[in-house]
Amino acid sequence: MLRVLRRRWDAYKYRFVPWLALNLRRKRRTLRYVPESSQDKIISDEDVFETLLKTFKALFINDLSRQAHILTLLPEIKCKYLGLLTVEQKQSTVNSHNRQSQHVLSPEEVLFNTLGFSITRDRSSLVSAGTGVFVTKGFVPKGTVVSMYPGTVYRKHEPIFFQSLGNPFIFRCIDGILIDGNDKGISRSVYSHFRSCSRRDRLGPFQMSDESWLTAALQNPLAVGQYVNNCSHGELPEKAANVCYQEFDVPEYFPVELKQYLPNIVYSHDIESHLRCVVLVTLRDIKQGEELFSNYYTVVN
């Protein structure tokens, strides 16, 4: 019983404000200091946008037959994506009348072909850390978006008390916005359930967010950032933080047909603001087989 309680506390304490206040000086390895929030950027927002756009376009094209309802409603979108297909892919698309007759790669294969690496969830190399995230194939250069933190986005005044109880997957942004990346219990129901946030914001055939991060069959292979473990003080150098969280507000001009791959949704739909996402950016080159380790929080001086 004590072991179970200790394991839960070790997972939750980094999100617990009183614990943070008492231990900031002791845990300097887990912190990232920035002079002000506007400078909390490893790479530019433009680079983040281009990476997501490139990846999501590749995922969309790979499974084009499943997008038939969207292509029918938006013929200009159909022309754009057909123009990006190779001759072989075009012939396959023309001849395919069902999904089975079209060769479709797995999302992980699409990620590798597009960005040169693939990642997956697996048992962490840290003792009692549970699930972690590993680079399973390829090479990730420094300054690369390697993952995304999925979940429901809450503003400061919005109710999250019951969702937060015993929940180690709540990420706090610099401005106080919270992202609940728990894929179980109340958190799961709020994000994806009957009359949930995700179903609420759907516009006809257009999905405004990705629900597959709640399952084992990911549609967006980047949406595993909530399982990246923090490297706490005393770990070996090779287990030091190799990725860092970076906040990113999705611009209004983000293609509507690609929003189905965004693993975030706002809790309140009546607020006019950009969707907040959090990406994980590499702090150094990462090789195949390495586990991703993060800094759990940023301190703004």
Side-chain angles (χ1 to χ4, degrees), residues 229-249:
N229 283 301
N230 179 58
C231 179
S232 58
H233 182 68
E235 297 293 348
L236 298 173
E238 60 267 24
K239 297 184 184 298
N242 51 23
V243 300
C244 189
Y245 299 101
Q246 179 170 318
E247 298 169 23
F248 173 71
D249 289 334

Side-chain angles (χ1 to χ4, degrees), residues 219-278:
Q219 184 175 327
N220 173 5
L222 293 173
V224 294
Q226 80 277 35
Y227 285 109
V228 173
N229 283 301
N230 179 58
C231 179
S232 58
H233 182 68
E235 297 293 348
L236 298 173
E238 60 267 24
K239 297 184 184 298
N242 51 23
V243 300
C244 189
Y245 299 101
Q246 179 170 318
E247 298 169 23
F248 173 71
D249 289 334
V250 179
E252 293 180 359
Y253 51 84
F254 196 87
V256 66
E257 73 275 9
L258 300 181
K259 289 185 177 181
Q260 62 182 290
Y261 301 108
L262 291 170
N264 299 96
I265 197 75
V266 293
Y267 179 77
S268 295
H269 70 288
D270 57 345
I271 298 177
E272 292 292 333
S273 62
H274 296 293
L275 174 66
R276 173 65 53 82
C277 289
V278 171

Side-chain angles (χ1 to χ4, degrees), residues 44-300:
S44 69
D45 284 344
E46 289 74 18
D47 287 340
V48 174
F49 176 80
E50 290 302 323
T51 298
L52 297 184
L53 195 66
K54 182 179 180 181
T55 305
F56 293 175
K57 278 184 177 180
L59 291 168
F60 188 90
I61 292 173
N62 176 65
D63 202 8
L64 206 59
S65 61
R66 192 174 62 84
Q67 313 296 338
H69 52 300
I70 295 177
L71 300 177
T72 300
L73 287 175
L74 298 175
E76 68 278 9
I77 296 294
K78 182 176 182 179
C79 292
K80 179 176 73 172
Y81 285 102
L82 286 178
L84 296 174
L85 291 172
T86 63
V87 174
E88 182 179 349
Q89 288 174 314
K90 286 181 181 179
Q91 189 61 40
S92 175
T93 302
V94 170
N95 293 335
S96 71
H97 298 288
N98 55 63
R99 195 176 178 187
Q100 286 69 35
S101 62
Q102 181 187 359
H103 177 61
V104 179
L105 301 175
S106 70
E108 291 74 20
E109 290 173 316
V110 174
L111 181 63
F112 177 76
N113 292 340
T114 305
L115 299 183
F117 66 87
S118 59
I119 57 175
T120 192
R121 296 169 289 191
D122 205 344
R123 185 171 184 81
S124 176
S125 60
L126 294 178
V127 178
S128 301
T131 302
V133 178
F134 294 81
V135 176
T136 53
K137 189 177 180 182
F139 171 80
V140 191
K142 177 181 177 180
T144 300
V145 174
V146 71
S147 186
M148 301 182 72
Y149 199 100
T152 305
V153 180
Y154 293 85
R155 271 66 179 184
K156 296 179 183 179
H157 65 281
E158 294 175 335
I160 194 175
F161 176 76
F162 290 107
Q163 297 93 307
S164 70
L165 296 177
N167 185 354
F169 296 108
I170 295 179
F171 181 91
R172 186 184 188 278
C173 297
I174 291 174
D175 58 2
I177 286 178
L178 302 174
I179 301 179
D180 183 3
N182 195 350
D183 57 8
K184 298 179 178 63
I186 298 176
S187 303
R188 180 188 183 93
S189 297
V190 169
Y191 191 100
S192 176
H193 199 264
F194 181 65
R195 294 184 179 178
S196 64
C197 295
S198 181
R199 306 295 172 87
R200 173 204 67 201
D201 289 355
R202 185 172 182 138
L203 298 175
F206 296 98
Q207 291 179 244
M208 296 294 103
S209 66
D210 173 31
E211 298 179 6
S212 70
W213 66 272
L214 297 165
T215 72
L218 296 176
Q219 184 175 327
N220 173 5
L222 293 173
V224 294
Q226 80 277 35
Y227 285 109
V228 173
N229 283 301
N230 179 58
C231 179
S232 58
H233 182 68
E235 297 293 348
L236 298 173
E238 60 267 24
K239 297 184 184 298
N242 51 23
V243 300
C244 189
Y245 299 101
Q246 179 170 318
E247 298 169 23
F248 173 71
D249 289 334
V250 179
E252 293 180 359
Y253 51 84
F254 196 87
V256 66
E257 73 275 9
L258 300 181
K259 289 185 177 181
Q260 62 182 290
Y261 301 108
L262 291 170
N264 299 96
I265 197 75
V266 293
Y267 179 77
S268 295
H269 70 288
D270 57 345
I271 298 177
E272 292 292 333
S273 62
H274 296 293
L275 174 66
R276 173 65 53 82
C277 289
V278 171
V279 298
L280 285 79
V281 180
T282 53
L283 296 171
R284 63 168 175 81
D285 295 345
I286 302 178
K287 301 176 182 178
Q288 179 175 316
E290 289 192 69
E291 183 174 357
L292 303 183
F293 295 111
S294 68
N295 289 318
Y296 259 1
Y297 34 79
T298 296
V299 176
V300 182

